[in-house]
Amino acid sequence: MSFAQWAASPGPGVGGHEGRIYRACNIGKRFGPVTVLRDVDATLRAGRVLTIMGENGAGKSTLFKILAGQLRPTSGHIELDGQELSLGAPSAAHAHGIYLVPQEPMLMPELSVAEMMFVGHMPTSGRFLKRVDWRAIRSRARAVLDALELDIGIDRPAKTLSIAQLQLVECAKALLHECRVILFDEPTSPLTAHEVETLFGIMRRLAGDGYTLSFISHRTEEVMEISDDIVVLRDGRMVGAAERGAFDRASLLSLMVGRELRTVSRRTKSHVTQELALSVKGLTHEPSFRDVDFSLRRGEILGLAGLIGAGRTEIAETIFGLRQVDRGTVKLGNTDITGVPSHDLIRRGVAYVPEDRGRHGAVLPMTITENITSSRMERVRQTAGLMSRGHETEIGAKAVRDFRIRCAGLDQTLLELSGGNQQKVVFAKWISTEPRLVILDEPTRGVDVGAKEEIYELIDRMAASGTAVVVISSESEELVRLCDRVLCIYEGRIVAELAGEEITPQSVTASYVGGSQARDAEFEKAGA
Amino acid sequence: MSRPDAIPASAVRSEANTVKPFNRRHFPLDGWEMTLVVLLVLVLVGFSWAAPGFYDGMPDLLSMAENFLPFGFVALGLSLVIFTGGIDLSVSTTASLTAVVVAQLWHGFGMNIWVAAGIGLLLGALLGAINVLVIIRLKIEPLIATLATSFIYGSIATAVAGNAPPSGFPDAFNALGGGALGILPYQLLLFVPLCLGFWLLVARSAYGRKLVMVGYNREVALYSGIRVERILVVAYVLSGVMAAVAGLVLAAYYSAARPDMGDPLLLATLTMVVLGGVSIFGGEGTMLGVILAVFILGFLRQGMMIAGFSDMVTTMVTGAILITSIAVKNLFNKRGTGLGNQLWALLRRPEATGSEPE
């Protein structure tokens, strides 16, 4: 059965309950002096998907935590089918049939899928020596996964599942525990376009079965695609609530951001020069990628598109000297830099802004200034081996100004900043070294819409000043907005190259999905 | 580490957002260090009042420091290692081995004692280098690696010492342990500039910043182009050298070298470093805190001895302080997730957590 047929076919028929209405009434929430939610109303109806939209920090997650029983509201109340609820803990929510699917489900890496689904609710047999009833566990887990037509082996260890699969297993868990209200906490941000389609297919089927669904997102295309009802939050207030038909993408965006925003467009001016900045020949790092060839000129912005795990990050890390080169050469201008370690590359003007802020990008418990200068401490004036604090503060203050980092003081630690501002600090850390070549890995992940546009302008300015830029991104609109050229990577190989007008969201996605289809065709041929 | 103290006026008047150089630390000491200052005063005042013979004039108080400054030397070096998130359990046997080897070079080979002492410092560096090579090249956890080398160094010390360990060094050398310039003991004259040096190294030098980064998050340091292994090598080598300094000072103090001489060093110095606020998980802490802790724990142990408590009791108290300081550190951690942080938050704003919806 094709995916389209499957998604169109009638639901799994797990249900049988009447639909439920879950309502948040006049919810307010304060954390000490900070008010994060004010008079928010939201109604989740059976058979419909309610989307909570908003920028980072708008209060979406807080509202969800209140609905899922993880937080209590400061004012207002929640009611299920007209009856007021007081939920003190997630377990109380489960008891009422309300289930929250976390964004990155807690992983107990050694457990099997079946075990994960029954953690905390293991059926037992025997009277005195209670034994875990593995037969019941296996058959019930299998039944639910089959009902959702999920092709996930129940004996597979959790650590072998993708985030998308883990989310679906969590979803199956909700059905298993007969929860009729299912909340998805920003499920799509770690997923690829293809995985999002699968998830949406399942959400539609559940809605068709009369389940009550809600999810969080700040991606307008998705929201327009899946929602029946939409609530838009901004700064903790409800700025819009209606059926989907009442909105279009532009109105959603302007509601979220609070000002008119240009829709994502192609960049107007290219800054490509003739001067070669980087050339990569036959670069190979088994098993992540092989025979990668490309070159890049000063002022050019080159995109790397592909699915998560296609090898894009590994290519970047190899160029930046963090991974072993198995074969091939890398040249910066005319100098061979194959296998040169990172500290040396930084001195030669190479910068790599990693994808994961907390793990690779910045030391969160250190201050803004300390993080910014950490990419190249030599640039801080030194006397007798001691760094000049005055000069370091100047560098920090300039970066905070240039990158519009919103903070109370330069000695704030990154723990106290929002995700978008943390990302700006990581950017400032690298861009302030004035690199000739900069590699940006998912530069706007977890960054709100307004900050995104600021980051795009920043990247554009860098290119205009002659920096060669590589952008790794899973958002095709971002690549369209930024790039002169896009390379599509599929399973460690370049499968397509797009330039100028050829770069559209459709062509980018098609090229790497196409890569997978071509491969599937090969397999079929080989099998036949 | 650094506290910005100057900022160009243009930054303050930025139209995008107003950036202040400080948002809270106006006082040069943070909360933990202030607590340590108060503790130090309490220890000094408390024992002066409660233990007759503890305070007998300034010269006497200063010379009392001779009894615990060997710990201080080790603590300075050991803190660098703990800043990286590692540990060096071999400091005590490094001190013993250095002292014994120096004594044998002087006694057995007729070497000038100062030349021998110089070789002793190099030996300390070598032993530290062996530790860090085992850790980096053989990829063995610092705890296990230095536990193992500490047994090895200790056994070699016993073998080198033989049946009759040398004693009776020249007076000029002995003065290093017990002599004084006026009322200032030579030990203190050596300790103070070293404190200054280590404080500047950690708080103000690029090396110190990298050390702290490696301690907080080794991956980020790697992705920032920091040569993590170099940072570790310097930390462990300096730890070895400072342990060797302590060995020399102890040998001078007793005018003798014994293979078990360094044994009491480990527990006390570890306690000093942790009491000083350096997190055993790495990164967090200040050198100033460690220096304060050296004097607090040093005077506390001396005071207890003068008050008539046995060595057993002081050791027990030291162990208890070690646990208490780690526990307090965990309860009030910098990320604000400790139990103590949460209780404090609860006390400050009871309406934010457990209140019923209206």
Side-chain angles (χ1 to χ4, degrees):
Chain A
M1 190 172 10
S2 79
F3 180 76
Q5 284 170 325
W6 176 86
S9 66
V14 181
H17 301 261
E18 81 285 15
R20 319 201 75 164
I21 299 178
Y22 192 31
R23 179 174 280 159
C25 307
N26 290 318
I27 296 289
K29 179 69 187 171
R30 279 200 316 273
F31 290 108
V34 185
T35 305
V36 289
L37 285 179
R38 263 181 243 266
D39 295 330
V40 172
D41 291 296
T43 307
L44 287 66
R45 294 193 179 81
R48 297 175 77 85
V49 178
L50 170 79
T51 304
I52 316 279
M53 272 201 96
E55 292 193 313
N56 291 344
K60 308 178 297 261
S61 296
T62 309
L63 180 59
F64 249 44
K65 282 183 179 152
I66 289 170
L67 289 174
Q70 294 176 4
L71 287 175
R72 284 170 185 277
T74 316
S75 59
H77 67 276
I78 46 180
E79 54 182 51
L80 186 63
D81 295 335
Q83 210 168 4
E84 191 172 331
L85 287 187
S86 172
L87 301 176
S91 57
H94 289 185
H96 285 97
I98 300 156
Y99 196 89
L100 176 76
V101 176
Q103 183 185 42
E104 301 201 5
M106 185 180 35
L107 186 62
M108 287 174 269
E110 303 302 331
L111 292 194
S112 73
V113 168
E115 285 169 318
M116 258 205 332
M117 290 171 70
F118 280 91
V119 164
H121 311 269
M122 293 271 184
T124 51
S125 62
R127 187 175 295 177
F128 295 111
L129 260 179
K130 288 202 188 281
R131 282 158 300 156
V132 175
D133 186 351
W134 289 108
R135 276 178 57 193
I137 287 179
R138 292 173 55 85
S139 64
R140 286 174 60 192
R142 187 70 268 162
V144 173
L145 289 175
D146 282 347
L148 283 172
E149 296 184 29
L150 289 177
D151 186 21
I152 301 173
I154 53 168
D155 295 318
R156 278 178 66 180
K159 63 185 171 191
T160 65
L161 300 187
S162 67
I163 290 176
Q165 287 172 319
L166 284 169
Q167 285 179 352
L168 295 176
V169 168
E170 281 289 322
C171 187
K173 206 168 151 182
L175 304 195
L176 193 70
H177 298 300
E178 293 178 353
C179 292
R180 300 291 295 174
V181 180
I182 306 179
L183 311 170
F184 293 84
D185 184 7
E186 208 161 348
T188 56
S189 28
L191 304 188
T192 60
H194 197 68
E195 291 169 334
V196 169
E197 274 314 306
T198 312
L199 178 69
F200 282 3
I202 288 193
M203 285 172 69
R204 280 193 203 99
R205 282 162 56 94
L206 290 174
D209 274 358
Y211 282 85
T212 306
L213 303 179
S214 180
F215 103 126
I216 290 183
S217 177
H218 54 232
R219 296 188 187 163
T220 48
E221 326 108 82
E222 284 175 9
V223 172
M224 292 308 286
E225 185 186 338
I226 187 74
S227 319
D228 297 300
D229 304 299
I230 300 173
V231 167
V232 186
L233 297 180
R234 182 170 76 230
D235 300 329
R237 290 171 197 275
M238 207 166 61
V239 292
E243 296 199 351
R244 171 182 51 183
F247 298 102
D248 60 26
R249 288 195 49 206
S251 65
L252 277 181
L253 268 179
S254 64
L255 275 176
M256 263 168 71
V257 184
R259 56 191 139 90
E260 287 300 323
L261 195 86
R262 269 188 308 140
T263 45
V264 175
S265 57
R266 190 179 308 279
R267 56 198 289 240
T268 45
K269 214 169 125 203
S270 166
H271 312 287
V272 185
T273 63
Q274 285 308 306
E275 204 182 327
L276 197 65
L278 175 76
S279 55
V280 175
K281 280 210 169 52
L283 194 65
T284 302
H285 172 82
E286 293 291 353
S288 313
F289 60 88
R290 57 211 68 85
D291 301 325
V292 169
D293 290 306
F294 66 90
S295 63
L296 179 63
R297 294 174 191 285
R298 294 193 61 195
E300 187 173 11
I301 305 180
L302 175 74
L304 295 185
L307 302 169
I308 289 166
R312 296 169 302 166
T313 297
E314 289 78 2
I315 293 173
E317 290 184 352
T318 309
I319 294 173
F320 193 59
L322 293 167
R323 287 168 187 261
Q324 194 84 39
V325 176
D326 289 345
R327 274 198 315 277
T329 55
V330 184
K331 274 183 167 180
L332 185 68
N334 290 319
T335 338
D336 191 344
I337 55 159
T338 317
V340 172
S342 329
H343 63 88
D344 204 350
L345 291 175
I346 293 169
R347 208 173 312 140
R348 292 168 196 238
V350 182
Y352 170 56
V353 179
E355 175 183 3
D356 193 327
R357 283 192 292 275
R359 267 176 58 202
H360 303 135
V363 182
L364 301 184
M366 287 175 78
T367 69
I368 294 172
T369 310
E370 285 167 347
N371 270 295
I372 286 170
T373 53
S374 68
S375 51
R376 222 179 146 217
M377 287 173 203
E378 295 75 28
R379 68 191 140 131
V380 180
R381 207 179 298 133
Q382 309 211 353
T383 26
L386 302 181
M387 297 200 284
S388 155
R389 284 192 288 188
H391 188 224
E392 188 175 18
T393 310
E394 263 174 53
I395 296 175
K398 182 172 184 303
V400 163
R401 213 165 46 221
D402 291 351
F403 293 81
R404 298 198 205 148
I405 297 162
R406 275 173 273 280
C407 58
L410 290 169
D411 64 344
Q412 263 191 316
T413 65
L414 263 57
L415 291 168
E416 301 163 64
L417 302 185
S418 70
N421 278 307
Q422 287 179 355
Q423 183 68 353
K424 287 187 201 167
V425 172
V426 179
F427 252 68
K429 167 178 168 181
W430 286 109
I431 309 308
S432 62
T433 63
E434 295 175 1
R436 293 159 61 193
L437 165 68
V438 56
I439 308 173
L440 307 168
D441 198 347
E442 301 286 2
T444 60
R445 168 150 303 173
V447 169
D448 59 48
V449 180
K452 244 182 196 176
E453 193 53 38
E454 284 179 41
I455 287 178
Y456 294 156
E457 279 161 21
L458 214 80
I459 295 172
D460 219 31
R461 275 211 302 279
M462 265 191 316
S465 71
T467 310
V469 184
V470 178
V471 178
I472 298 174
S473 176
S474 297
E475 283 184 46
S476 40
E477 299 198 340
E478 185 162 292
L479 295 170
V480 175
R481 162 75 179 78
L482 285 172
C483 297
D484 297 302
R485 218 152 36 96
V486 173
L487 300 177
C488 303
I489 317 279
Y490 182 76
E491 300 214 330
R493 287 175 195 279
I494 297 176
V495 292
E497 178 172 344
L498 305 168
E501 299 291 318
E502 292 167 28
I503 310 171
T504 64
Q506 295 75 13
S507 68
V508 169
T509 314
S511 61
Y512 57 75
V513 173
S516 72
Q517 280 163 357
R519 221 184 68 107
D520 289 348
E522 258 171 56
F523 263 124
E524 275 165 32
K525 238 184 274 170
Chain B
M1 293 292 111
S2 99
R3 288 176 198 94
D5 45 13
I7 189 164
S10 57
V12 181
R13 280 197 299 270
S14 151
E15 76 292 344
N17 49 3
T18 310
V19 180
K20 290 175 290 178
F22 299 106
N23 63 334
R24 56 194 123 79
R25 299 180 195 150
H26 290 279
F27 200 69
L29 300 179
D30 71 11
W32 188 271
E33 290 159 351
M34 276 310 295
T35 315
L36 291 180
V37 171
V38 172
L39 269 181
L40 181 59
V41 172
L42 280 181
V43 165
L44 289 176
V45 174
F47 277 110
S48 303
W49 173 73
F54 180 81
Y55 185 78
D56 218 2
M58 206 55 192
D60 188 60
L61 196 68
L62 288 175
S63 71
M64 202 191 293
E66 287 174 357
N67 295 306
F68 63 78
L69 281 183
F71 297 99
F73 294 113
V74 179
L76 292 180
L78 183 60
S79 4
L80 296 188
V81 169
I82 295 183
F83 269 120
T84 70
I87 192 146
D88 185 355
L89 296 181
S90 74
V91 285
S92 45
T93 53
T94 299
S96 304
L97 180 55
T98 306
V100 170
V101 167
V102 168
Q104 288 295 16
L105 286 175
W106 167 76
H107 178 76
F109 295 83
M111 200 179 271
N112 177 301
I113 187 73
W114 297 107
V115 176
I119 294 177
L121 293 181
L122 290 179
L123 177 66
L126 176 72
L127 298 178
I130 293 174
N131 285 338
V132 74
L133 283 180
V134 170
I135 291 165
I136 294 175
R137 293 276 167 259
L138 304 182
K139 301 196 193 313
I140 296 175
E141 286 294 306
L143 187 78
I144 300 298
T146 57
L147 181 66
T149 56
S150 102
F151 284 121
I152 297 171
Y153 301 164
S155 316
I156 298 175
T158 312
V160 172
N163 289 332
S167 60
F169 302 121
D171 285 345
F173 181 72
N174 290 343
L176 181 64
L181 186 72
I183 62 162
L184 297 172
Y186 284 123
Q187 277 198 40
L188 196 63
L189 290 177
L190 183 60
F191 186 65
V192 169
L194 280 172
C195 285
L196 190 68
F198 273 87
W199 171 65
L200 288 174
L201 182 72
V202 172
R204 301 288 304 279
S205 78
Y207 172 79
R209 186 66 63 71
K210 291 173 185 170
L211 178 82
V212 170
M213 263 185 95
V214 169
Y216 269 127
N217 194 327
R218 194 175 291 200
E219 286 279 296
V220 174
L222 217 57
Y223 275 71
S224 304
I226 288 171
R227 280 171 277 184
V228 172
E229 298 191 342
R230 283 195 177 191
I231 306 294
L232 295 182
V233 168
V234 173
Y236 282 89
V237 165
L238 280 179
S239 175
V241 171
M242 292 310 287
V245 169
L248 294 177
V249 171
L250 280 174
Y253 183 78
Y254 293 116
S255 190
R258 291 171 46 89
D260 59 353
M261 205 162 58
D263 288 358
L265 289 173
L266 181 62
L267 173 68
T269 51
L270 198 57
T271 308
M272 284 165 175
V273 175
V274 174
L275 176 64
V278 180
S279 163
I280 44 167
F281 304 111
E284 203 177 324
T286 64
M287 217 60 222
L288 191 61
V290 174
I291 295 163
L292 284 168
V294 166
F295 286 96
I296 293 171
L297 198 68
F299 281 119
L300 181 75
R301 287 166 61 104
Q302 286 305 309
M304 288 181 68
M305 251 161 278
I306 289 167
F309 291 101
S310 72
D311 199 36
M312 217 159 47
V313 179
T314 52
T315 307
M316 207 164 74
V317 168
T318 309
I321 293 175
L322 178 59
I323 291 181
T324 312
S325 19
I326 297 181
V328 170
K329 203 81 196 168
N330 287 347
L331 291 179
F332 294 93
N333 63 12
K334 214 171 175 182
R335 288 161 196 251
T337 52
L339 183 64
N341 298 101
Q342 286 171 10
L343 284 176
W344 177 239
L346 195 72
L347 285 175
R348 271 197 319 192
R349 34 171 206 254
E351 84 281 8
T353 23
S355 66
E356 287 296 315
E358 291 140 33

